[in-house]
Amino acid sequence: MLFRSYVLTTTSANPGNMASMAVASLFLPFLPLLAGQILLNNFLSDIPAIGVADDNVDPELVDRPRRWDMGFIRRFMIEFGALSSLFDMLTFGLLLGVFGASAELFRTGWFVESLLTELVVALVVRTRRRFYRSRPGRVLLVTTLALVPTAFLVPFLPGATLLGFVPMPIDLMVALVFITAGYVAATEWLKDSFYRRAD
């Protein structure tokens, strides 16, 4: 069940991010993210995945043997990936339409939003319950809680400019918090709907 949890977490975010990158590349006159930014995002978002190995599993998920269902995983990937991409698009609209972001600010803002949503979605999709009613393992929880503020600090760290980051205004950071909170709420709603249809 732990491996399944990792697969669902990964497939809920990565396909959406890839689709968002492809769409953004069609209308932006610059690369949406630089290679170093993508690698850093993947590295940081994978740190909590170490905690999946000792994560707590809800009793109802281990009450009987379960088979791998590739159709289930495919549907999960498509629906949750589309939701992730939708919130990326909202972020793009915010960055370009509200903040008139330069290439550097756009990349910084999307890096932070992408990292935040990848971190929090792991806590949501690891359980069929409401995420706050299922206690995650200590490593998963601690690393996630540590990396959330780190996401906002990265653009302000010494050497951040070498990776193409720029400091973000406070109002943009607040807006990204609201987008992430909206993503959590939407993922919880979709999770309820998805499992009702799957049962």
Side-chain angles (χ1 to χ4, degrees), residues 101-179:
S102 63
E104 293 77 17
L105 184 59
F106 182 95
R107 292 172 183 142
T108 303
W110 189 30
F111 172 89
V112 171
E113 182 266 348
S114 177
L115 181 54
L116 287 174
T117 53
E118 283 192 59
L119 291 170
V120 299
V121 78
L123 298 178
V124 177
V125 301
R126 57 172 286 281
T127 176
R128 289 181 63 156
R129 303 176 182 180
R130 297 287 186 192
F131 76 93
Y132 50 82
R133 291 184 177 162
S134 176
R135 186 171 60 88
R138 182 186 177 101
V139 174
L140 176 61
L141 181 61
V142 169
T143 53
T144 299
L145 292 178
L147 283 166
V148 166
T150 301
F152 288 104
L153 289 175
V154 166
F156 297 93
L157 295 176
T161 54
L162 297 176
L163 284 172
F165 294 120
V166 292
M168 292 187 298
I170 274 287
D171 49 350
L172 174 55
M173 291 192 282
V174 171
L176 293 178
V177 169
F178 277 101
I179 285 177

Side-chain angles (χ1 to χ4, degrees), residues 19-169:
S20 300
M21 179 76 77
V23 170
S25 298
L26 295 176
F27 66 85
L28 290 177
F30 53 83
L31 290 174
L33 284 177
L34 301 176
Q37 295 168 339
I38 294 171
L39 290 173
L40 180 61
N41 187 302
N42 287 340
F43 171 73
L44 292 175
S45 63
D46 279 347
I47 290 175
I50 297 168
V52 171
D54 80 333
D55 192 18
N56 298 317
V57 180
D58 298 333
E60 62 269 20
L61 294 179
V62 290
D63 59 353
R64 59 185 171 82
R66 297 173 190 269
R67 293 176 179 263
W68 277 93
D69 182 346
M70 296 308 294
F72 172 91
I73 293 173
R74 182 176 58 253
R75 292 189 303 274
F76 192 95
M77 178 180 67
I78 291 169
E79 293 188 31
F80 285 84
L83 182 66
S84 173
S85 192
L86 172 64
F87 275 84
D88 285 339
M89 297 302 158
L90 289 174
T91 303
F92 297 166
L94 175 77
L95 290 167
L96 297 173
V98 177
F99 289 92
S102 63
E104 293 77 17
L105 184 59
F106 182 95
R107 292 172 183 142
T108 303
W110 189 30
F111 172 89
V112 171
E113 182 266 348
S114 177
L115 181 54
L116 287 174
T117 53
E118 283 192 59
L119 291 170
V120 299
V121 78
L123 298 178
V124 177
V125 301
R126 57 172 286 281
T127 176
R128 289 181 63 156
R129 303 176 182 180
R130 297 287 186 192
F131 76 93
Y132 50 82
R133 291 184 177 162
S134 176
R135 186 171 60 88
R138 182 186 177 101
V139 174
L140 176 61
L141 181 61
V142 169
T143 53
T144 299
L145 292 178
L147 283 166
V148 166
T150 301
F152 288 104
L153 289 175
V154 166
F156 297 93
L157 295 176
T161 54
L162 297 176
L163 284 172
F165 294 120
V166 292
M168 292 187 298

